[in-house]
């Protein structure tokens, strides 16, 4: 039974203004077009976890350079009187790797560093 004042007898009052919503409109769930896009993309939790992990690796590489490679370079320089080229190349590669790690951690770089990506060549 339908009452002209309260609307159809399904327990749902008519919308304000007395007009029924068109079929497939916003009042009808599942009808109409695609859902609206989200306001912002989801938070990148995976990248945050990778950044935390790589920050520990960057900490270890930094101290490897400061505690091992730099003193070894000066010891070799004091003994031989000239810099060791292989030690210099190793130091440069470690510095480039640290740069890649810091770039990923800060978000300036999207490619994952070694061991999930290639080791820097230069």
């Amino acid at each position: 039974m339908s009452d002209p004042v309260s609307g159809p007898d399904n327990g749902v009052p008519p919308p304000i203004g007395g007009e029924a919503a068109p079929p497939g409109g916003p009042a009808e769930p599942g009808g109409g077009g695609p859902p609206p896009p989200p306001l912002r993309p989801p938070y990148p939790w995976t990248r945050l976890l990778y950044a935390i992990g790589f920050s520990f690796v960057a900490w270890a590489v930094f101290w490897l350079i400061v505690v091992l490679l730099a003193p070894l370079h000066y010891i070799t320089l004091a003994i031989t009187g000239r810099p060791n080229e292989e030690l210099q190349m190793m130091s440069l590669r470690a510095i480039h790797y640290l740069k890649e790690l810091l770039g990923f951690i800060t978000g300036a770089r999207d490619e994952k560093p070694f061991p999930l990506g290639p080791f820097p060549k230069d």
Side-chain angles (χ1 to χ4, degrees):
M1 295 189 142
S2 180
D3 184 350
V5 177
S6 65
D9 201 15
N10 61 2
V12 179
I16 297 176
E19 297 177 10
E28 191 173 306
L39 298 177
R40 61 181 181 169
Y43 192 78
W45 290 106
T46 307
R47 181 175 173 104
L48 176 65
L49 293 176
Y50 277 124
I52 291 170
F54 281 125
S55 65
F56 288 110
V57 175
W59 178 82
V61 169
F62 172 77
W63 286 109
L64 173 83
I65 294 169
V66 171
V67 173
L68 183 67
L69 294 177
L72 191 58
H73 171 76
Y74 286 107
I75 291 169
T76 306
L77 185 62
I79 293 172
T80 64
R82 60 184 174 82
N84 184 332
E85 289 185 25
E86 291 178 12
L87 193 55
Q88 283 181 331
M89 291 305 296
M90 182 186 289
S91 297
L92 283 175
R93 289 184 78 183
I95 291 167
H96 283 231
Y97 181 51
L98 184 61
K99 177 184 168 192
E100 287 186 5
L101 287 167
L102 293 175
F104 182 80
I105 292 167
T106 60
R109 179 173 200 258
D110 288 330
E111 298 84 24
K112 292 179 185 78
F114 179 81
L116 300 178
F119 194 80
K121 294 180 176 131
D122 300 323

